[in-house]
């Protein structure tokens, strides 16, 4: 049966940062959230012009809410932790590094396994290569690999 785990901390520049994970029998699905401004709007009219339509949008509400900024699905193969990352927006590199470390720690505890290698595959988004290298990751065959 899936279980959920959550970790929150405050960043001086970004405010509250939230990591959430759903632990499934064979994998972990993790999401990174930041508080952000979400614009709410409605279409107030559609005007037909000579050769195009003009859509008039009226903002009606802004609200501060949790916004998902990254998603990682991870699983264990042998003694390797595989992670597939979808980065939806640019974030501070240290936040991403902390997210990766948190996933590694949660995976070790929940799957009760020794991990010797992390293999990170990025499917979307800009990953801070230099920061990942500082954290011990090396790019090899399309993966960022970290030997523990």
């Amino acid at each position: 049966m899936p279980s959920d785990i959550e970790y929150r901390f405050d960043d001086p520049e970004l405010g509250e940062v939230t990591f959430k994970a759903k632990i499934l029998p064979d994998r972990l699905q993790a999401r990174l959230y930041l508080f952000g401004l979400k614009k709410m709007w409605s279409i107030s009219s559609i005007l037909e012009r000579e050769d195009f339509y003009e859509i008039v949008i009226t903002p009606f509400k802004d609200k501060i809410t949790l916004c998902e900024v990254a998603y990682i699905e991870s699983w264990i193969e042998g003694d390797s932790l595989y992670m597939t990352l979808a980065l939806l927006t640019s974030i501070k590199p240290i936040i991403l590094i902390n997210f990766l470390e948190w996933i590694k720690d949660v995976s070790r505890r929940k799957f009760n396994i020794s991990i010797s290698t992390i293999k990170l595959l990025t499917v979307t988004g800009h990953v801070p290569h230099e920061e990942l290298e500082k954290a011990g990751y090396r790019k090899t065959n399309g993966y960022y690999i970290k030997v523990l």
Side-chain angles (χ1 to χ4, degrees):
M1 182 163 169
S3 64
D4 295 335
I5 188 168
E6 185 175 299
Y7 174 69
R8 293 175 192 233
F9 64 95
D10 287 322
D11 179 85
E13 295 172 20
L14 301 174
E16 184 177 293
V17 179
T18 304
F19 300 161
K20 291 184 179 184
K22 180 176 289 298
I23 299 151
L24 304 169
D26 63 339
R27 64 190 53 241
L28 184 136
Q29 297 171 331
R31 299 171 193 279
L32 188 156
Y33 296 92
L34 300 175
F35 273 98
L37 184 65
K38 185 173 184 177
K39 299 260 183 207
M40 310 286 286
W41 49 271
S42 65
I43 296 173
S44 58
S45 62
I46 299 176
L47 308 171
E48 187 174 351
R49 299 294 186 208
E50 193 171 300
D51 55 351
F52 66 94
Y53 288 92
E54 180 180 344
I55 300 172
V56 180
I57 297 173
T58 305
F60 68 88
K61 185 177 173 183
D62 292 343
K63 71 177 190 174
I64 302 293
T65 187
L66 276 180
C67 299
E68 184 175 348
V69 296
Y71 172 83
I72 291 181
E73 187 145 328
S74 66
W75 63 95
I76 303 287
E77 284 186 21
D79 61 354
S80 293
L81 174 64
Y82 285 81
M83 292 191 239
T84 303
L85 167 66
L87 192 57
L88 307 175
T89 188
S90 296
I91 58 173
K92 286 174 50 176
I94 191 65
I95 300 293
L96 179 60
I97 300 299
N98 288 342
F99 188 45
L100 296 173
E101 286 297 309
W102 181 74
I103 292 168
K104 177 191 73 175
D105 294 342
V106 169
S107 297
R108 274 187 173 153
R109 285 193 316 269
K110 294 300 180 181
F111 296 120
N112 195 23
I113 191 164
S114 175
I115 299 168
S116 66
T117 307
I118 297 172
K119 296 182 178 181
L120 173 67
L121 176 64
T122 303
V123 294
T124 186
H126 174 71
V127 176
H129 307 288
E130 303 80 24
E131 296 299 323
L132 284 174
E133 286 180 4
K134 287 179 191 174
Y137 290 85
R138 300 289 174 252
K139 186 131 187 189
T140 307
N141 296 328
Y143 284 90
Y144 288 96
I145 298 175
K146 182 176 182 176
V147 177
L148 304 175

